Amino acid sequence: MRQARRTRRTVLVTTVCAGIVVGGAGLTGCGGGGEDPDAGTNGVAKLSATKIQSKTRAAAKGATAVRLSGTLVSKGQTYKLDMRLKGAGGTGEVTSKGGTFRLLRVGEHLYLKADSGFWTHQDESGGQGGGSPADDSAAAKLDGKYVKVPAGDPSYQQLSGFTDKDVLLDGTLTLHGALSKGDRAESAAGRVIKIAGDEGAGGTLEVSLEGKPYPLRLQRAGHSGTLRLTEWGKDFPLEEPGKDETVDYGKQLPNS
């Protein structure tokens, strides 16, 4: 009889404790102590925000590849990105006020592909600028072609930055102001720890608690975009376009 009473009491206590936890009270008195919140993780949540950032940067730098997508606001211009990056180059799409274009960089060779509308002259308000028939004809020839961007063209440095893993990550993973550590949380990508600059005003970064401490999501400072970082270490093909797909203007791109 005593054994049966102890069993019923154990079941009752377990049920009540489970109800409290599920209900969000978060009490740890039930069951003789709280569970380790870092059990089964990579342990970085135990570190300071500064050390977490250091380990995150090291993990990102050491990764062979990454996919970066989301929005980026730079110099008053909003870009929508979906880029796959690795040491040898990168490929993907960039959308801005002027339209959508595809970038491909293999080594030092950078290519831009867009439809004819991208190459048509536009006025400052974004409307059609009334290009000449010759301009329209030239734009039509570039439709869907990879146009090689000369290394000396003013746009080369800016465009190539979108395809450079180290440059893009260095520019996007920066948190401004004093660093602080937030709570552990669950995300679509798994368990994460959040670190922030200037209490969030300087940006917020979600760092994976599973496997390597890769950065997974960045809310940039000053509402300047939100970026997702996925497919860490997942390789992808990167090849020069065929000659029949390519237009080479030599030392300078046509005006657009």
Side-chain angles (χ1 to χ4, degrees), residues 42-58:
N42 54 26
V44 297
K46 299 178 182 180
L47 305 176
S48 68
T50 301
K51 288 185 177 180
I52 292 174
Q53 184 186 51
S54 178
K55 283 187 171 293
T56 297
R57 285 185 172 276

Side-chain angles (χ1 to χ4, degrees), residues 29 33 40 48-49 96 104 107 122 165 178 183 192 197 227 246:
S48 68
S96 66
L104 168 64
Q122 297 183 334
K165 173 179 169 284
D183 296 330
V192 298
L227 297 169
T246 308

Side-chain angles (χ1 to χ4, degrees), residues 16-105:
V16 171
C17 285
I20 291 173
V21 173
V22 171
L27 299 181
T28 60
C30 299
E35 295 182 1
D36 181 0
D38 296 307
T41 74
N42 54 26
V44 297
K46 299 178 182 180
L47 305 176
S48 68
T50 301
K51 288 185 177 180
I52 292 174
Q53 184 186 51
S54 178
K55 283 187 171 293
T56 297
R57 285 185 172 276
K61 187 175 181 64
T64 55
V66 64
R67 183 172 187 173
L68 189 150
S69 60
T71 57
L72 178 66
V73 181
S74 177
K75 298 180 180 179
Q77 180 80 357
T78 299
Y79 300 93
K80 183 178 179 181
L81 309 179
D82 188 0
M83 301 295 302
R84 300 186 71 180
L85 311 164
K86 60 182 179 180
T91 183
E93 286 190 346
V94 179
T95 299
S96 66
K97 186 177 179 180
T100 298
F101 54 93
R102 186 166 191 83
L103 290 173
L104 168 64
R105 183 176 62 83

Side-chain angles (χ1 to χ4, degrees), residues 78-193:
T78 299
Y79 300 93
K80 183 178 179 181
L81 309 179
D82 188 0
M83 301 295 302
R84 300 186 71 180
L85 311 164
K86 60 182 179 180
T91 183
E93 286 190 346
V94 179
T95 299
S96 66
K97 186 177 179 180
T100 298
F101 54 93
R102 186 166 191 83
L103 290 173
L104 168 64
R105 183 176 62 83
V106 183
E108 297 300 318
H109 296 164
L110 176 66
Y111 302 90
L112 185 155
K113 182 168 76 170
D115 61 22
S116 59
F118 177 86
W119 297 104
T120 303
H121 291 286
Q122 297 183 334
D123 59 33
E124 294 182 356
S125 66
Q128 295 297 322
S132 68
D135 291 332
D136 293 339
S137 177
K141 293 179 181 178
L142 299 179
D143 184 56
K145 294 284 189 178
Y146 280 101
V147 178
K148 190 172 184 180
V149 183
D153 190 272
S155 61
Y156 182 92
Q157 195 66 32
Q158 179 186 9
L159 293 174
S160 64
F162 286 117
T163 65
D164 190 308
K165 173 179 169 284
D166 290 338
V167 169
L168 201 54
L169 289 180
D170 285 345
T172 58
L173 295 181
T174 300
L175 297 175
H176 302 278
L179 294 179
S180 59
K181 182 172 67 173
D183 296 330
R184 300 162 180 82
E186 290 283 346
S187 74
R191 289 182 288 181
V192 298
I193 183 71

